[in-house]
Structure formats: C-alpha cells, structure tokens
Amino acid sequence: MKQYDYLIVGAGLFGAVFAHEATKQGKKCLVIDKRNHLGGNIYCEETEGINVHKYGAHIFHTNDKTIWDYVNSFVEFNRYTNSPLANYAGELYNLPFNMNTFYQLWKVKTPQEAQAKINEQVAESGITDPQNLEEQAISLVGTDIYQKLIKGYTEKQWGRKATELPAFIIKRLPLRFTFDNNYFNDKYQGIPIGGYNKLTEGLLKGIEVRTSVDFFADKESWMNLAETLVFTGHIDEYYDYRFGKLEYRSLRFENETLDEPNFQGNAVVNYTESHIPYTRIIEHKHFEFGTQAKTVVTKEYPCEWTSGMEAYYPINDEKNTATYRQYKALADQEANIIFGGRLAEYKYYDMHQVIGSALATTKKVFQ
Ligand code: FAD
Ligand code: UDP
C-alpha cells in the first residue's frame, strides 16, 4: 500500500478538479505544483485592491449547465460579458464581428447589406474549400475584416503566417448579423466574485498540496508515493522529449499601475496592426466593475516559447499534431498514469473544457 491513492502533478484546473472529485470518493490525494502558488494559469494576484490575472485575462463561459453549477458551487460568478474592442490604425471596432463592426467598417445598416458586402468579397477571393486560417477567415468574413482585424493580430499572436495555421482557431470567434457585442455565444458567462483564486481554494479545500516542487526533480520518489499518477504537465517532458519537443507560443506581460481610475473604459482592447508589438491591453478592474482610485493595465506581447518560459498556447499545426500523436500512443499504454489538461493533452482548451474533461475522467475512473 502506498501513502497516497493519487499524486496529482499540477494544481491548475484539471488537477484541482480531479483532486476534488477523488477526495469526494474517499481517495487520498497529494497535489504538487512547481509554481509557488495554486491555480495554474487562472491564478490572480492582488494589486491596489484589483485582481490581476497574472497569466492572461480569463473569462469563464460555458453552455453546459452542469459545469456552470459546478463552478458556482465554489464561488459566485458576476454578470461580466466580454465585449472587446479592436484598435486598427487608431479607429475602434467592436468585436466579435457583428452588425456594429460592419457599420463601423462599411456604414451598412442592415443585415442584408452586410451579408451582401461579405458575399461579394468572398466571391472575389475565389475560395471555396478553405484549407488554412487565412482562407477560413476570408471565406467567413471577407477580405476587409481579414486585412484589418485578423491578419495582423493572428500573425503576431502565433508568429506564423495565417496560411500556415489551422482553420479551427478562427472558428472560436462568433460571427453574427445582430448588434450584439458579446464575444461568446455560450449561455453562461462571468468572472468569480472576488477572483479566480476563490475557485481554486474551494476545489482544493482540505487537500494536501505542496508548491514550488518540480515533479521531474525527483520523479522516482514522487511516483513511489502514490498508486496512480495524474499528470497535467508537458507530455513531451514526461517522455524525455524522445520524439522531439512540442512547440508553444508564450507571452510576456508588461504590467503597469496607473494613477487614474479608468484607462481605456473596457477590460480588453485588441491592437490588430502587425507593427504594434503587443496584441492587447487588459484593464483588469473592469472584469469586476472595480471602482478603485488606481488601475492596473497589462500589455500582452506574444513570443516563441523556449525552455524555462511559460508555455501558453499549443501550436496545433500538422507537425506538432503528428509529434503529439506519438506521445499519446505511449500515454495510452500506461496503466497507472492519467494525462490531462492543456499541457498533457496538448490542446487549446478553455477553462470549461478542462473542467469538463476532468469531470469526464473522474466519472470514468470512479464509475
Ligand atoms: P495549467 O493551468 O497550465 O496547470 C498546469 C499546472 O501544472 C501548472 O500550474 C504548472 O506549474 C504545473 N506543472 C507543470 N509541470 C510541472 C512539473 N513538472 N512539476 C510540478 N508542476 C508542474 N480559458 C477560458 O475559458 N477563458 C479565457 O478567457 C481564457 N483565457 C486565456 C488566456 C491565456 C493567455 C491563456 C494562456 C489561456 C487562457 N484560457 C482561457 C485557458 C485556460 O487558462 C486553461 O484552459 C486552463 O487554465 C488550463 O488548466 P490546466 O490545469 O490544463 O493547465
Ligand atoms: N483573432 C483575431 N483578431 C482579434 C482577436 C482574435 O484575428 O482581434 C484571432 C486570432 O487568430 C486568435 C483567435 O482569433 O488567436 C482566437 O482568439 P481568442 O480571443 O479566442 O484567443 P485567446 O483568448 O485564446 O487568446
């Protein structure tokens, strides 16, 4: 008999949900994380009474009532609705692409006029069977929107040509012919009142956790502590990079505290021109309707990931997908290891999807 039923590597959402559900089943869990805090990428740090999303802005959204009720059982969510703006050449446009955007671009006032304008541009492009992000974007919204609001942003975000990127990335954004600036189509949306750390604390309440410990510094000893390993770190690192390194995009965050109450009047403003090195400016207080005297803003600079940096976005192109499949084949053969989450599944997961995946996993394990 080993000391723990589960050793959970990573105190992000996947690890925390798994630990919570396993503990509910009477299992003994130990959660470790190499960072000096819990929560993984949803972790917030308080500055001037404002919850600063330390690893990038996080807006919770889901269509699944079970997942919405689940997160609300740990912390109440506010009514925040994400409605970012895009700044292109000094002009502001509403996102996602909707009647407000079409009016700002073309002065069209009806859905019929907007659709006709897009159809005309799509027809001119000649694209009928989109094979990559550029073709997908043009065939959805036409060339004007692609050139002004997508190409520059996408190419700096991913460090790759839009023609080399998978089409699915752009399908994340809604396109609608109503005057509705809600960035998501999901039924439920919001930010935890008091910040995301409350969600993490609720999930991990009463569970043994150790921070600032790297699993790989002493892999064998950690493995010997528990019957089963739940691994939410890098799958390629777990297998000593034997098939090569999986690629990621990383981000550099430049935070500034400003001595004014309201810098940009919105939580998210995207900068879609390629010559501006950051992709967006986040003003954190607006996620919680803050009324503090000061404000904290963050500029997000995308960059290529190298060892030692935080790996934020998996690059799910053909090459990396093929490499990941090789690791996945090894993972599938493991009897006492569960791989889960953004890094271990090398998947561009949102929070609700990670929670859904962790709940599905525990359901299967404890059925
Ligand atoms: P993580 O949160 O990355 O947790 C993995 C943990 O494992 C980390 O804490 C890491 O330190 C630890 N770990 C790794 N290796 C080791 C090791 N060797 N030893 C010990 N510990 C280890 N989702 C949304 O729904 N809405 C959003 O608006 C949104 N915005 C985002 C913005 C950005 C910039 C990014 C990058 C992501 C965003 N997401 C958003 C996605 C969201 O962050 C993830 O879906 C979710 O947090 C992933 O949880 P996870 O547990 O899989 O991974
Ligand atoms: N995107 C864009 N222009 C924008 C916002 C997004 O072209 O103003 C594209 C870009 O390729 C991005 C993708 O849409 O990677 C998905 O955007 P989302 O806001 O969902 O990205 P995330 O929040 O995950 O960074």
Side-chain angles (χ1 to χ4, degrees):
M1 259 293 267
K2 293 187 177 174
Q3 202 179 336
Y4 297 95
D5 294 306
Y6 291 97
L7 170 73
I8 295 148
V9 176
L13 269 178
F14 192 96
V17 169
F18 190 96
H20 185 85
E21 293 304 309
T23 305
K24 250 177 27 192
Q25 296 293 327
K27 304 296 177 193
K28 198 160 181 235
C29 299
L30 171 64
V31 181
I32 64 168
D33 203 296
K34 64 181 176 187
R35 294 180 182 168
N36 64 1
H37 59 74
L38 306 174
N41 284 345
I42 66 170
Y43 175 69
C44 294
E45 221 165 52
E46 203 188 295
T47 306
E48 299 292 339
I50 298 162
N51 286 312
V52 175
H53 298 207
K54 189 170 153 97
Y55 300 97
H58 279 72
I59 300 111
F60 196 93
H61 57 97
T62 180
N63 244 331
D64 186 330
K65 184 157 180 352
T66 317
I67 291 175
W68 182 243
D69 289 344
Y70 187 76
V71 292
N72 274 275
S73 72
F74 299 103
V75 56
E76 197 186 336
F77 278 61
N78 71 17
R79 59 148 192 91
Y80 177 80
T81 301
N82 199 31
S83 43
L85 291 159
N87 182 317
Y88 174 82
E91 299 289 332
L92 291 178
Y93 299 91
N94 286 110
L95 294 174
F97 313 122
N98 72 82
M99 284 305 298
N100 289 305
T101 331
F102 309 143
Y103 177 70
Q104 288 148 353
L105 272 166
W106 304 313
K107 289 284 172 281
V108 291
K109 294 188 182 114
T110 66
Q112 292 72 20
E113 287 171 322
Q115 188 69 72
K117 190 89 186 160
I118 291 174
N119 289 350
E120 186 189 308
Q121 296 189 359
V122 174
E124 254 171 46
S125 79
I127 299 164
T128 47
D129 179 21
Q131 294 298 318
N132 54 54
L133 196 154
E134 175 170 298
E135 293 179 2
Q136 180 70 70
I138 293 174
S139 68
L140 284 173
V141 293
T143 40
D144 279 357
I145 293 184
Y146 174 68
Q147 290 297 340
K148 289 185 177 175
L149 303 179
I150 297 177
K151 188 178 191 310
Y153 186 101
T154 295
E155 294 188 344
K156 62 188 175 182
Q157 167 75 356
W158 295 99
R160 283 153 180 76
K161 292 211 171 82
T163 47
E164 289 161 11
L165 287 164
F168 81 87
I169 294 176
I170 204 66
K171 288 199 190 146
R172 286 171 60 86
L173 306 191
L175 161 68
R176 53 174 92 93
F177 292 86
T178 51
F179 290 90
D180 177 359
N181 297 326
N182 185 345
Y183 202 56
F184 303 112
N185 281 328
D186 289 345
K187 244 192 245 171
Y188 310 102
Q189 178 174 182
I191 302 282
I193 297 173
Y196 281 94
N197 297 357
K198 293 208 163 168
L199 175 59
T200 307
E201 284 156 18
L203 284 164
L204 291 172
K205 195 169 167 198
I207 297 170
E208 196 177 335
V209 294
R210 292 187 212 164
T211 51
S212 305
V213 284
D214 190 333
F215 172 73
F216 293 111
D218 202 357
K219 185 172 167 182
E220 292 315 310
S221 313
W222 288 117
M223 298 284 273
N224 286 332
L225 277 183
E227 303 289 341
T228 303
L229 170 68
V230 177
F231 184 78
T232 75
H234 295 244
I235 191 168
D236 54 351
E237 188 176 12
Y238 187 87
Y239 290 112
D240 294 321
Y241 306 107
R242 72 180 73 167
F243 303 123
K245 278 194 180 178
L246 291 167
E247 293 174 301
Y248 287 90
R249 281 302 272 175
S250 192
L251 296 169
R252 182 171 66 79
F253 298 108
E254 209 175 84
N255 292 334
E256 246 184 302
T257 302
L258 305 176
D259 201 4
E260 57 180 303
N262 190 1
F263 171 71
Q264 63 185 17
N266 205 36
V268 184
V269 179
N270 292 355
Y271 286 78
T272 58
E273 286 167 282
S274 58
H275 70 91
I276 296 179
Y278 45 88
T279 45
R280 51 192 176 191
I281 301 183
I282 305 298
E283 188 169 12
H284 301 266
K285 71 192 307 176
H286 296 310
F287 288 123
E288 297 183 65
F289 315 106
T291 54
Q292 298 86 350
K294 295 191 181 181
T295 194
V296 180
V297 295
T298 303
K299 285 190 182 126
E300 253 178 63
Y301 295 83
C303 51
E304 201 62 15
W305 175 82
T306 54
S307 295
M309 294 168 91
E310 294 294 350
Y312 287 113
Y313 294 96
I315 299 175
N316 298 113
D317 59 10
E318 272 173 39
K319 179 182 127 197
N320 287 294
T321 302
T323 309
Y324 169 69
R325 283 215 186 96
Q326 292 179 284
Y327 287 118
K328 172 86 166 73
L330 291 182
D332 285 344
Q333 284 161 25
E334 305 279 4
N336 297 315
I337 311 178
I338 294 165
F339 291 86
R342 238 192 201 205
L343 299 171
E345 294 180 67
Y346 196 64
K347 217 168 178 177
Y348 192 176
Y349 266 144
D350 276 330
M351 290 180 280
H352 61 291
Q353 294 167 319
V354 170
I355 293 171
S357 159
L359 289 175
T361 306
T362 52
K363 202 168 164 191
K364 217 160 88 190
V365 172
F366 300 117
Q367 69 190 352

